[in-house]
Amino acid sequence: MVKQIAFPDKFWWGAASSGPQSEGDFNKAHQNVMDYWYQESPTEFFNQVGPKLASDFFEKYRDDLRLMKQIGFNSFRTSIQWSRLIKDLETGEPDLNAIDYYNGLIDAAKKNGIELVLNLHHFDLPVELLQKYGGWESKKVVELFVKYAQTALELFGDKVNYWTTFNEPMVIPEAGYLYGFHYPKYVGKGKEAMQVIYNINLASARVIQLYKQMKLKGQIGIILNLTPAYPRSNSLEDLAASEIVDALFNRSFLDPAVKGSFPKNLVELLEKDGVLWQGTKEELAIIQANTVDFLGVNYYHPKRVKAPGKEAKYSAWMPDKYFEEWQMPNCRMNVYRGWEIYPKAVYDIAMNVKKNYGNIPWFISENGMGVEGEERFIDEDGRIQDDYRINFYKEHLAWLAKAIDEGSNCFGYHTWTAFDCWSWNNAYKNRYGLIAVDLENQKRTIKKSGYWYKKVSDHNGFTYDLDYEIK
Ligand code: BGP
């Protein structure tokens, strides 16, 4: 099937990264939870590689932004690290070194004509706030986050047009409190996870409120990982399970962010089970009044959901009593990451946002394919021939273009990621970049996908020539 795929004018082409995953943890005022986790348990990280140097973006950002320009970027997201910017976590007083660094980064992006999106939290809570106050379970931490955000916005708010409060906030309760794959690695703390969801929503709304009060000229949004929950069958039980998964894993952040309120079915269920978060009328009014200007959507894989089996796996309350995930037989998989590849979900997400969320302006803020052992694909010129990645992007982009043709208000597409970066405890196992990073010497080499991306950005589209049908 050969077809021209075109995108609207001024479409964003670029990628996302994050401070902790790209910079290296030196020169920082504090440790974040990931730095601390590595310090305590290095063997839990792939090949025991930690965040010490990462991809050395702290030193190399000027060259890296030039390279991004070279591969066609007009926009790029990264995050400010709370643990870097703030010297005194209680007062929000900034660290002078960090101010220089962020100013340099903002200038370098400008110089290269790259619209910078600055995110305020990417899984990287300063560990002291977990130890002292209990992290996101505590409203004290909400207060301190607002102080940090105020410092960031006072310093850089008029120089950067696009801000986001959180990246994938659902991962914090999911990975840290429900299933234990990120620090603090709690398993089975369902009730606490619900409080974390509420507190982060409140923190996001408080920062949006602050942004508006400061009358900054840009826009503020949030980055959510939306994983459509497809039921195994149309049985009432499977449909009910998928609705609960959607309410908990997607709408618990999407609804407050865009509509200002929590999903009714989720609140009712949590109330019935006695695990509803502690909140006040005043806080709910803040959430109601302070919704986002735009939405970023990270999409990697769908969730396949069915009604739960009979066995209770956890002693305390867990949402899993209402659903089970399952893997569709014969589905396409990214075997390195264990994630299903299902590009049509991009279209489903777009249509959901159009139909149920007022067609708010949004962009794909992360989408990508991590592959292990990419050295296998290096050709005689030293370039990684990552056709699998190009095909992955083509399919997802084709579905996105179809959604835009049908009225979706999508203004951009960011890959994960620009250059290979450190992925938490997966470290450098799976490489995602359009630009390869050699960990021996930090040398950057543009992959075949990077050259391809440049052409897509130049033409604001591409020729779709795959067998997979988009209809
Ligand atoms: C997203 C995160 C990124 C990045 C990416 C790839 O969920 O926002 O930080 O890590 O996933 O996933 P992973 O690194 O787990 O392979």
Side-chain angles (χ1 to χ4, degrees), residues 301-304 326-335 338-343 468:
H301 60 88
K303 272 189 199 287
R304 304 281 174 189
W326 70 294
Q327 194 179 315
M328 270 206 319
N330 306 321
C331 65
R332 287 164 64 197
M333 289 291 289
N334 170 354
V335 290
W339 282 343
E340 183 184 339
I341 298 178
Y342 187 64
Y468 302 108

Side-chain angles (χ1 to χ4, degrees), residues 21 122-123 167-168 298 300 337 339 366 416 423-424 426 432:
Q21 293 178 270
H122 198 123
F123 313 159
N167 173 79
E168 298 193 353
N298 295 356
Y300 288 91
R337 192 59 181 79
W339 282 343
E366 285 182 29
W416 184 268
S423 265
W424 322 114
N426 276 329
Y432 282 87

Side-chain angles (χ1 to χ4, degrees), residues 421-455:
C421 70
W422 183 76
S423 265
W424 322 114
N425 54 327
N426 276 329
Y428 280 90
K429 174 179 173 288
N430 301 315
R431 303 302 182 95
Y432 282 87
L434 296 163
I435 301 167
V437 174
D438 184 336
L439 289 190
E440 295 290 308
N441 52 20
Q442 289 289 332
K443 191 171 166 245
R444 274 68 167 147
T445 310
I446 299 174
K447 300 180 192 177
K448 184 174 179 184
S449 57
Y451 291 100
W452 174 80
Y453 203 74
K454 160 82 173 141
K455 280 200 230 143

Side-chain angles (χ1 to χ4, degrees), residues 218-318:
Q219 297 189 21
I220 189 158
I222 193 166
I223 307 284
L224 301 181
N225 50 319
L226 298 185
T227 45
Y230 299 107
R232 175 183 54 179
S233 74
N234 283 333
S235 74
L236 288 181
E237 294 78 11
D238 286 346
L239 286 170
S242 77
E243 253 174 49
I244 291 173
V245 168
D246 188 41
L248 178 60
F249 291 94
N250 298 317
R251 295 178 54 210
S252 63
F253 283 98
L254 182 58
D255 283 26
V258 180
K259 297 179 174 171
S261 58
F262 289 95
K264 202 164 160 260
N265 60 345
L266 180 65
V267 173
E268 281 170 4
L269 179 146
L270 299 180
E271 214 157 27
K272 167 175 83 70
D273 287 357
V275 292
L276 187 64
W277 43 69
Q278 300 283 316
T280 65
K281 268 204 190 105
E282 294 71 28
E283 290 166 352
L284 288 171
I286 292 173
I287 292 172
Q288 179 69 58
N290 295 284
T291 55
V292 294
D293 297 325
F294 69 95
L295 183 68
V297 175
N298 295 356
Y299 171 70
Y300 288 91
H301 60 88
K303 272 189 199 287
R304 304 281 174 189
V305 182
K306 61 177 184 174
K310 293 270 171 292
E311 257 169 67
K313 280 193 243 146
Y314 301 95
S315 48
W317 182 88
M318 280 287 277

Side-chain angles (χ1 to χ4, degrees), residues 162-181:
Y162 293 89
W163 289 84
T164 56
T165 54
F166 285 84
N167 173 79
E168 298 193 353
M170 189 59 208
V171 170
I172 298 170
E174 184 182 7
Y177 291 79
L178 296 178
Y179 309 119
F181 55 91

